[in-house]
């Protein structure tokens, strides 16, 4: 977004626009940021804010590249170390490459206690990393004293501890603290009282808080409320009070209200003032004192550096005791404090020279979001400290010798100082399978590269797969990709970029989906070679499938996801935790068929209607047409079979399409004009004919009352740009599906008007067909409905005519189904959906949506931003270290965060549930009993084998949905003599099947007991029979 033109490049920024909104994007495009410190934390922040699209960033650093940097800074390469480049010179061009709209420059001037700070006045936000506390205080005081204040952020990462501090001035106004989109809530009643009580329709929760304001619209009766804003006092989740309504007209029906977003002012203190009485965010409620404990320990570390001009030495017990004593002294001076955590201080002392890349990624994501808040005023800022520690990562390693953590002069020295040499080697030996190479996938690969996961020399490997190609909109957050990679595969491109960061890695890139169809590739033997599976997916179904494969193959799974500024991580460890499939989110509510077809009430309904029209006309019907003529290649044979009374599925629809098929561009315009007439005039006239405005229900209430809106038909007007867009986009899409050529000249208003002047619109006559009003009714499938004799006759006549007029050629028996593509503005897809939705909204007096919102809803776009993606991937990579170390259940953490508010909550995963079968025989989802058979092994042999091996009597055996043995079923007792091979009929390459077996209860009359799956191998050694 070049600041001069202020145009937002939607092809690049679309997913982020849905998170931040255009106003914030424009403010970013006019903001300059100063970022000091090009270590691992600084480069994370640089990456995220440049991807986001600020106007200019100055990167500042005074150090030279060292081998150590290769393990913390993903933009420093071996050659930079060899040529002794300055860090800032090495990273500046690589950061600049991330976004052509951002001006990135560099500085390597001294920044210390003697520097004249006036040069900072040209920046809106200043971020310091790797800076001593005395310098942070000095720069913060300068920034705070400016008019307007320069927003200041200080970030530090020392070994297992990280901190972020924010000071945005004494009065910082935030336009939108949460970023949540206000919903329209329909009204059931409003009392004529003091105060008036508003009740929501269908007990819908209003989600309001006392003191907020709402605006009323379309209220009938108490019309004085319309367009006014009223403060609310919440009475229940479904009702609230407003001021006196006793003097207003009585409420009749209808109307809705919407929350009014009000700006909020936040007050900040300087770093100096906040040191003694810190205001902190608590991420982990299992250790609520941790933030204050880390605060004291890190302040003591600052004092240690001032006194010794160095950090504590790795494994030096004397330094640890000095730091502990300093922490106690610092803690005594704090007003807001907790008890000193000795273990934390000793861990910090031992690891302070080290660096944990995933921890920097997690906090770098959060800090970057604070930068964006500082320059846009969008979302609630951090007040004022954020602390996070990774004590759980290093706690089990404390008994190791100091030598484990000593530097060896390679890229892993920073990591080694935190987790030791043995754990570094374990990471390098890892065999990881990552599914998905989008935004989270790119961030995960960066973490793998810095951690050395899957190193060639240790026989490790990272296998990645993703069938997608790179689109321009990916570049805004999938930071391993550049413009010249567009239309190349994500997985192979990401693999190359990962090996650039760390050439030691072995990355095997595939282009496959992971689903039942690829089980021949991602087979059990494939999973048996893995140590861990990571998902970087964007849909629940794929996660469920991968989870089921990890469950049956006893492999740990690390899952994460984001939506806008929200993120979650979930850690699944065999025999310790529940699996992903152990919990299910409620299914998404579907819009009732009758609402979409006839009674829309909100803009989402009209957008979904337009999307359905696209799918039906340009995808579904052409696909049915093609498959019908592939099945029945001869029209003459179809005619003969229909004449003899044979019913062919889909024939009526297909023949209607053939007989009405346009063959010229002008006919496509005509079809589009008739569609306009049908959708926006006749549909409304028919509804008002069936249900006149004064129609009443059996209880005497009006039929047309909220949320039902009566439609208002309108005439076609070529001078209305929305009408014109609908005609042209509809005609284009029909031309493409029917393979009809057209030129740019054909799309001009003049050419279209000439064709339209000759279109004859038949006179409207109301029909007597019934209109569906039942909200539970489903959409009928016309292709499967039996034809009436009249429809059959009509189809036969139409086909006879088509054959007689030589209209049945190979070309005419073929159509080109489209695939909805929301991101290409040249193809007319979004033109059709946006214009159709807007015209229907106009017909029903629904507040319209702009093209951006329409695109998000129609394309089911998940809002996304690099800050949240970086944070989840960092949190997942921290858990990966614990999984590799075989840590206890208490060490693991799931996380939910919302960077907008900001809130981060770390919790223990759900422990695995163990079900008692009987007599101390338990099982969990991770258990799988095994029976090895052979070619002649019978069902009876199987039952006996289970009884002998596990001591329980099987009563029922089921394979998938097929019942192999249920004693009460007729003829099932005879099956006992049949071989398992014959009963199951496995495919040639099948080694085993998982069977569901029920067991006899202890006392008669009780229900059968469920057990774990019983894996039956068809041969004794488990090989393919």
């Amino acid at each position: 977004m070049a600041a001069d033109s202020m145009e937002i490049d939607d092809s690049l920024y679309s997913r982020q626009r849905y998170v931040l909104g255009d106003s914030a994007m424009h403010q970013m495009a006019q903001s300059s940021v100063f970022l000091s410190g090009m270590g691992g934390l600084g480069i994370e922040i640089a990456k995220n804010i440049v991807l986001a699209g600020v106007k200019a960033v100055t990167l500042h650093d005074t150090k030279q590249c060292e081998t150590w940097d290769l393990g913390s800074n993903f933009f420093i390469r071996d050659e930079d170390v060899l040529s002794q480049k300055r860090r800032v010179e090495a990273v500046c061009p690589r950061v600049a490459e991330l976004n052509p709209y951002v001006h990135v420059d560099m500085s390597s001037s001294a920044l210390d206690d003697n520097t004249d700070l006036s040069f900072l006045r040209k920046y809106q936000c200043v971020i310091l990393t790797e800076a001593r506390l005395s310098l942070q205080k000095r720069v913060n005081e300068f920034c705070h004293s400016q008019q307007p204040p320069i927003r200041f952020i200080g970030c530090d990462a020392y070994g297992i501890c990280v901190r972020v501090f924010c000071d945005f001035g004494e009065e910082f106004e935030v336009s939108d603290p949460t970023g949540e989109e206000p919903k329209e809530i329909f009204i059931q009643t409003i009392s004529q009282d003091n105060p008036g009580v508003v009740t929501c329709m269908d007990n819908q929760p209003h989600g309001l808080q006392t003191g907020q304001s709402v605006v009323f619209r379309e209220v009938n009766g108490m019309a004085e409320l319309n367009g006014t804003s009223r403060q609310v006092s919440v009475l229940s989740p479904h009702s609230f009070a407003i001021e006196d309504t006793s003097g207003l007209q009585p409420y009749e029906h209808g109307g809705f209200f919407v929350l009014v977003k009000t700006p909020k002012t936040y007050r900040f203190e300087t770093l100096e003032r906040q040191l003694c009485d810190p205001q902190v965010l608590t991420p982990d409620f299992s250790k609520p004192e941790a933030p204050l404990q880390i605060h004291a320990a890190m302040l003591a570390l600052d004092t240690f550096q001032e006194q010794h001009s160095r950090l504590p030495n790795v494994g030096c017990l004397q330094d640890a005791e000095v730091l502990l004593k300093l922490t106690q002294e610092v803690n005594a001076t704090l007003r807001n404090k907790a008890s000193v955590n000795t273990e934390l201080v000793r861990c910090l002392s031992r690891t302070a020279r080290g660096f944990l890349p995933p921890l920097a990624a997690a906090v770098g994501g959060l800090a970057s979001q604070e930068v964006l808040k500082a320059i846009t005023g969008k979302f609630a800022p951090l007040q004022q400290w954020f602390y996070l520690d990774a004590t759980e990562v290093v706690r089990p390693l404390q008994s190791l010798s100091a030598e484990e953590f000593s530097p060896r002069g390679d890229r892993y020295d920073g990591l080694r100082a935190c987790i030791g040499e043995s754990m570094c080697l374990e990471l390098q030996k890892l065999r990881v399978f990552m599914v998905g190479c989008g935004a989270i996938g790119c961030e995960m690969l960066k973490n793998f590269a810095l951690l050395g996961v899957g190193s060639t020399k240790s026989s490790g490997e990272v296998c990645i797969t993703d069938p997608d190609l790179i689109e321009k909109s990916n570049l805004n957050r999938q930071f391993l990709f550049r413009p010249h990679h567009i239309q190349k595969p994500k997985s192979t491109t990401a693999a190359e970029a990962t090996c650039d960061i760390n050439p030691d890695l072995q990355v095997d890139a595939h282009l496959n989906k992971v689903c039942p169809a690829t089980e021949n590739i991602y087979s059990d033997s494939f999973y048996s070679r893995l140590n861990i599976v990571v998902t970087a997916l964007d849909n629940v179904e794929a996660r469920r499938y991968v989870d089921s494969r990890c469950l049956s193959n006893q492999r740990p799974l690390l899952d994460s996801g984001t939506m806008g500024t929200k993120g979650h991580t979930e850690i699944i460890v065999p025999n310790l935790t529940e699996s992903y499939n152990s919990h299910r989110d409620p299914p998404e509510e579907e819009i009732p068929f009758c609402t979409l077809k006839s009674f829309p009430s909100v803009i989402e309904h009209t957008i979904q209607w337009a999307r359905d029209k696209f799918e039906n006309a340009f995808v579904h019907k052409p696909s049915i047409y093609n498959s019908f003529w592939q099945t029945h290649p001869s029209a003459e044979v179809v005619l003969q079979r229909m004449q003899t009374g044979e019913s062919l599925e889909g024939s009526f629809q297909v023949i209607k399409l053939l007989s009405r098929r346009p063959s010229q561009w002008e006919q496509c315009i005509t079809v589009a004009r008739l569609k306009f007439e049908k959708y926006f005039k006749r549909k409304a006239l028919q509804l008002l004919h069936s249900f006149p405005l004064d129609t009443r229900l059996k209880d005497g209430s009006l039929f047309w009352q909220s949320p039902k809106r009566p439609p208002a038909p309108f005439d076609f007007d070529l001078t209305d740009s929305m009408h014109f867009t609908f005609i042209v986009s509809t005609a284009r899409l029909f031309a493409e599906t029917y393979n009809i050529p057209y030129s740019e000249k054909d799309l001009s208003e003049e050419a279209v008007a000439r064709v339209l002047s000759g279109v004859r619109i038949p006179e409207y006559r109301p029909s007597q067909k019934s209109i569906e009003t039942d909200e539970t009714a489903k959409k009928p499938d016309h292709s499967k409905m039996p034809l009436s004799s009249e429809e059959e006759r009509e189809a036969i006549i139409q086909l006879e005519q088509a054959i007689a007029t030589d209209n049945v050629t190979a070309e005419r028996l073929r159509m080109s189904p489209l695939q909805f593509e929301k991101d290409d503005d040249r193809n007319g897809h979004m033109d059709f959906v946006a214009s159709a939705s807007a015209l229907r909204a106009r017909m029903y007096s629904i507040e319209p949506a702009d093209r951006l919102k329409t695109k998000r809803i129609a394309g089911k776009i998940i809002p996304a931003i690099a800050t949240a993606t970086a944070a989840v991937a960092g949190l997942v990579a921290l858990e990966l270290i614990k999984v590799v170390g075989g840590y206890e259940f208490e060490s693991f953490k799931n996380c939910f965060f919302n960077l907008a508010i900001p809130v981060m909550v770390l919790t223990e995963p759900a422990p695995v549930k163990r079900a008692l079968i009987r007599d101390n025989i338990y099982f969990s989802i991770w258990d799988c009993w095994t029976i090895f058979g052979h070619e002649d092994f019978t069902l009876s042999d199987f039952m006996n084998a289970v009884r002998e091996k596990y001591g329980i009597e099987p009563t029922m055996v089921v394979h998938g949905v097929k019942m192999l043995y249920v004693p009460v079923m007729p003829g099932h007792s005879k099956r006992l003599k049949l071989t398992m091979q014959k009963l199951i009929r496995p495919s040639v390459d099948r080694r085993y099947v998982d069977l569901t077996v029920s067991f006899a209860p202890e006392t008669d009359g009780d229900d059968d007991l469920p057990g774990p799956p019983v894996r039956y191998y068809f041969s004794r050694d488990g090989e393919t029979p």
Side-chain angles (χ1 to χ4, degrees), residues 98 243 348 368 387-388 401 409 442 448 485 510 588 600 636 738 774 812 910 940 1006:
L98 291 169
E243 61 230 45
L348 175 60
S368 308
Y387 283 100
L388 192 62
S401 68
C442 284
F448 291 164
H485 293 137
H510 300 184
E588 262 188 66
E636 287 78 8
Y738 287 117
D774 178 5
R812 289 182 71 84
S940 179
D1006 284 357

Side-chain angles (χ1 to χ4, degrees), residues 466-478:
D466 193 314
D468 289 350
L469 302 180
I470 296 160
E471 306 286 344
K472 188 177 176 183
S473 64
N474 301 150
L475 305 183
N476 175 235
R477 63 205 177 284
Q478 301 178 18

Side-chain angles (χ1 to χ4, degrees), residues 181-188 198-209 212 214 232 234-240 256-259 589:
E181 195 176 335
K183 290 191 173 70
E184 294 177 359
I185 309 280
F186 288 99
I187 296 164
Q188 187 76 47
V198 181
T199 308
C200 306
M201 185 173 278
D202 301 331
N203 270 346
Q204 239 190 318
H206 50 64
L208 299 170
Q209 293 170 1
Q212 289 181 321
V214 297
V232 309
V234 172
L235 302 174
S236 80
H238 318 290
S239 64
F240 56 87
F256 61 88
F257 61 86
V258 182
L259 170 70
E589 268 188 49

